[in-house]
Amino acid sequence: MLTDARQKMIESIAMRDGEVIISRVAKELDVSIETIRRDINILCEKNVLTKVHGGAVPVNLPIAEASYNQRKNTNSKIKNKLGQYAADMIQSNQVVALSTGSTIEAVAAHISGVHSLTVITNSIPIAGIISDLHNHTMFDGKAILFGGQVNLTEHLTYGPSVNEQIDRYYADVAFVSAGAVNESGLMSTGADEGAVSSKLIGCAGKTILVIESKKL
């Protein structure tokens, strides 16, 4: 593969995954690690990438977010580890608010070893995950899915009725994700999703943000 073509491929991988891991890309493109390092240096000089430990990240990510199914299948191993780590913070007898997104779904999937738990959420997939836990692992607790208008693309409920229902609850802890994070706060790619996440944060005594580092 020619140098220009390889560098375009590296840039494409960075935009697709939000990062470039040197060892992984070297294996994918069947070239040496040093070759990828040189390519990354050139792309950094062109202000396409920024170096991080073990690789690089794009200077500018595309504004449009990938589809739900694409996001769900991206970095699944990392999301699984994040979900397990976060779920270990959940204690018995708590009311736990879970926002939407594939990373928070991983949190729900790892809930175990607790009793008398109440999960409140506007995520349709998370309600299904809790249902599966109840059916297959004797999940001790209940799930409350806030009803409202359904976003058929993102698999969530939203709107005034959802916000009004959240106001009736107090959660011990809320686990939320975000499209991006900076010093100003959390950002969502959709106003409706962001409004519900804000409500969940507001009803909780403590909020735990569960995201991949590329969103910082």
Side-chain angles (χ1 to χ4, degrees), residues 134-179:
H134 175 75
N135 292 333
H136 298 112
T137 64
M138 298 300 291
F139 173 79
D140 179 16
K142 62 182 178 182
I144 296 169
L145 174 64
F146 297 120
Q149 189 167 343
V150 178
N151 183 318
L152 298 175
T153 302
E154 295 297 319
H155 311 292
L156 56 88
T157 60
Y158 68 96
S161 63
V162 172
N163 296 337
E164 290 170 7
Q165 291 169 70
I166 294 174
D167 285 336
R168 302 172 194 164
Y169 288 87
Y170 173 83
D172 295 285
V173 58
F175 292 88
V176 301
S177 188

Side-chain angles (χ1 to χ4, degrees), residues 14 38 40 58 69 77-78 81 90 95 103 145 171 188-189 197:
R38 285 195 296 270
I40 285 176
N69 287 332
K77 289 183 179 179
I78 293 174
K81 288 182 178 180
I90 297 174
V95 176
T103 305
L145 174 64
S188 173
T189 53
S197 291

Side-chain angles (χ1 to χ4, degrees), residues 6-174:
R6 189 176 59 247
Q7 289 173 8
K8 288 185 181 299
M9 182 69 72
I10 292 170
E11 182 179 354
S12 176
I13 291 170
M15 292 300 178
R16 181 194 70 195
D17 298 342
E19 62 183 352
V20 176
I21 305 300
I22 291 174
S23 57
R24 185 187 305 164
V25 175
K27 185 176 181 180
E28 183 175 339
L29 301 183
D30 194 26
V31 295
S32 70
I33 286 176
E34 288 305 317
T35 296
I36 298 300
R37 281 203 179 102
R38 285 195 296 270
D39 288 334
I40 285 176
N41 287 337
I42 292 170
L43 291 169
C44 288
E45 291 172 1
K46 293 179 178 179
N47 202 36
V48 174
L49 301 179
T50 298
K51 285 186 190 177
V52 296
H53 180 69
V57 296
V59 171
N60 294 303
L61 279 171
I63 294 174
E65 190 170 38
S67 70
Y68 171 83
N69 287 332
Q70 287 175 317
R71 300 196 309 273
K72 186 176 178 64
N73 295 319
T74 300
N75 295 335
S76 57
K77 289 183 179 179
I78 293 174
K79 291 175 182 177
N80 188 58
K81 288 182 178 180
L82 283 170
Q84 187 169 23
Y85 185 85
D88 286 344
M89 301 178 187
I90 297 174
Q91 301 175 19
S92 296
N93 303 304
Q94 285 187 325
V95 176
V96 175
L98 299 179
S99 72
T100 59
S102 55
T103 305
I104 304 301
E105 289 171 28
V107 177
H110 284 286
I111 295 175
S112 65
V114 292
H115 61 269
S116 300
L117 188 72
T118 299
V119 174
I120 61 175
T121 186
N122 69 314
S123 166
I124 296 170
I126 286 175
I129 289 168
I130 299 299
S131 177
D132 287 341
L133 289 176
H134 175 75
N135 292 333
H136 298 112
T137 64
M138 298 300 291
F139 173 79
D140 179 16
K142 62 182 178 182
I144 296 169
L145 174 64
F146 297 120
Q149 189 167 343
V150 178
N151 183 318
L152 298 175
T153 302
E154 295 297 319
H155 311 292
L156 56 88
T157 60
Y158 68 96
S161 63
V162 172
N163 296 337
E164 290 170 7
Q165 291 169 70
I166 294 174
D167 285 336
R168 302 172 194 164
Y169 288 87
Y170 173 83
D172 295 285
V173 58

